[in-house]
Amino acid sequence: MQKSLSYLSSAIGRKQLMAITGLVWSGFVLTHMAANLLIPFSAELYNKYSHALITNPAIYLAEGLLVLTLLVHIANGVKLTLENRGARPQKYAMGTNGSKAPRFQSTWMIFHGSLLAVFLIWHLLTFKFGTDYQIVYDGVQMRDLHRLVIEIFAQPAYVIGYALCMVGVGLHLSHGFYSSFATLGFYHPRYSPMIQGLGYLYSFVVAAGFIIPPLYVLMTKAN
Amino acid sequence: MASANSKKINLKLKVWRQKTREDAGRFEEISAQEIPVDASFLEMMDIVNNRLIKEGRDPIAFDHDCREGICGSCSMVINGNPHGPERGTATCQLHMRKFHDAQEIVVEPFRATAFPVIKDLSVDRTAFDRIIAAGGYVSVNTGNAPDANALPVPKEKADDAFNSATCIGCGACVAACANSSAMLFVSAKVNHLAVLPQGEPERERRVLRMMQTMEDSGFGNCSNTGACSLACPKEISFENIARMNAEYMKASIKRRD
């Protein structure tokens, strides 16, 4: 037991924990984004989907897994960042630049990561714990989440803030996706550029997919 | 050395001066006059130091040895980049033709907790020696040297090992890394030996011990930015790190002690 604990507390073990928990959330945001695309199409479909989701007993398991992986990801990320800062107490007068500079999103993970943590609380307060409108479809009473979504996304300031946070999601994923594979040891000169390309495509699709519904609502439902 | 009639430039150096390990250190502006563009960066430093000595001032301390890009002694962060702006080039092979007349050049030491400054631009890189001593070797029997090529090694594996073995242990990867991590160095050494039959007997304990020593020496953790590989004068591939991640995971699972 002592040894397995030492793996989880090692530099590589903790990095792999970041990768696995990050990949769990990468899967979650993709399904969340896909569900959000129902918003412009049908209030009924969207409400029925969210009703089916929250009435499924497996939701508790899924939510438990998401909360646990998120806490591990955040706690680990903060601890690693603090350690990394301690590894260079004296900063350089000039940073790496030109052809030797790494992609900026990779060195800013803690910044967009922190933004996302704040966003998540804001997001849960707005929607999950927001106004509980009710509606009846086919004799079944359920939450009218769509009404709340339309109400919120009709506010331009909210949509701007939301869109900026989604750009943060895209940046975080664009490094995190590819990085997770490398951390877990998947690297091959032929396939890794494809994984990186796929990571960029995936992060763009996720960010764009999250931004489209609020923009649509703002343009069609405002006033 | 540069020929007498090569073009010459004048530069404004902003050099980190630190008398001792404990000294806080500061930047000092020093002019570099009449520098032949064919001189290497270290030769430019020699010219400046000659003048400082003649003027009775303390010359700038910096590390150097072979001056042909293979010893890993020269360090320095030049205008923000370890070994300067050129990819795949050590400071000793960086030439002044890459700079222009009247340019300001900021010269700093490699900065990391694990690489404390000894004086000016010279840093203590013995943490790398400790990592090597922890596992970066193969044990061999004493006695007569074995016949050459008695142990067959496929060409692809030999090339793979050689690519990793080109690491000169200069520490530019640590200097460039936002986290001062030594993962590229450690992984190059681990992979060099992991792909060869000679490295097989100590394979698992090697990666565990070298990583443990890296952590104990105060280096940071890798976040896969790839800055290490971009700064490496030998262009050691980032692939080494990914492979070592898998190697470390396997060794951690398989260990029986």
Side-chain angles (χ1 to χ4, degrees), chain A residues 2-221:
Chain A
Q2 189 55 43
K3 290 299 169 192
S4 60
L5 271 180
S6 75
Y7 162 69
L8 290 180
S9 60
S10 68
I12 294 179
R14 286 186 293 156
K15 183 176 143 109
Q16 289 173 338
L17 217 50
M18 287 299 281
I20 292 166
T21 51
L23 284 176
V24 168
W25 271 78
S26 301
F28 167 69
V29 291
L30 189 65
T31 59
H32 188 335
M33 180 278 293
N36 281 17
L37 291 178
L38 289 174
I39 294 170
F41 293 106
S42 159
E44 185 177 343
L45 262 182
Y46 182 70
N47 281 333
K48 281 184 170 172
Y49 169 80
S50 59
H51 182 71
L53 207 61
I54 57 167
T55 49
N56 188 332
I59 191 72
Y60 296 106
L61 193 68
E63 280 185 345
L65 179 72
L66 284 175
V67 170
L68 181 72
T69 50
L70 184 71
L71 290 179
V72 169
H73 195 79
I74 292 176
N76 218 352
V78 170
K79 192 162 182 281
L80 287 168
T81 305
L82 291 176
E83 281 177 19
N84 294 341
R85 296 280 154 88
R88 178 172 298 132
Q90 172 111 39
K91 303 285 168 228
Y92 287 111
M94 276 179 86
T96 49
N97 54 75
S99 67
K100 288 188 174 180
R103 291 181 189 87
F104 85 97
Q105 68 266 38
S106 66
T107 55
W108 283 62
M109 290 302 270
I110 191 67
F111 298 106
H112 29 73
S114 305
L115 172 74
L116 299 187
V118 174
F119 167 76
L120 190 63
I121 297 167
W122 180 42
H123 188 63
L124 288 176
L125 289 177
T126 313
F127 294 107
K128 192 173 174 62
F129 303 109
T131 315
D132 190 2
Y133 296 118
Q134 292 288 315
I135 196 166
V136 177
Y137 291 114
D138 312 327
V140 183
Q141 187 168 349
M142 61 185 73
R143 188 177 177 193
D144 190 358
L145 190 60
H146 193 268
R147 187 175 156 194
L148 178 65
V149 167
I150 300 296
E151 227 174 70
I152 300 285
F153 285 161
Q155 305 166 26
Y158 189 97
V159 173
I160 291 170
Y162 182 92
L164 287 177
C165 290
M166 291 309 104
V167 171
V169 169
L171 291 174
H172 203 71
L173 290 175
S174 72
H175 175 66
F177 185 86
Y178 154 80
S179 178
S180 297
F181 283 91
T183 295
L184 294 171
F186 295 106
Y187 193 98
H188 190 282
R190 274 197 293 154
Y191 309 123
S192 286
M194 287 185 229
I195 293 177
Q196 193 159 22
L198 190 68
Y200 286 141
L201 180 70
Y202 158 80
S203 45
F204 176 77
V205 166
V206 168
F210 274 127
I211 292 173
I212 289 169
L215 275 187
Y216 173 81
V217 172
L218 187 67
M219 288 191 288
T220 56
K221 304 276 165 51

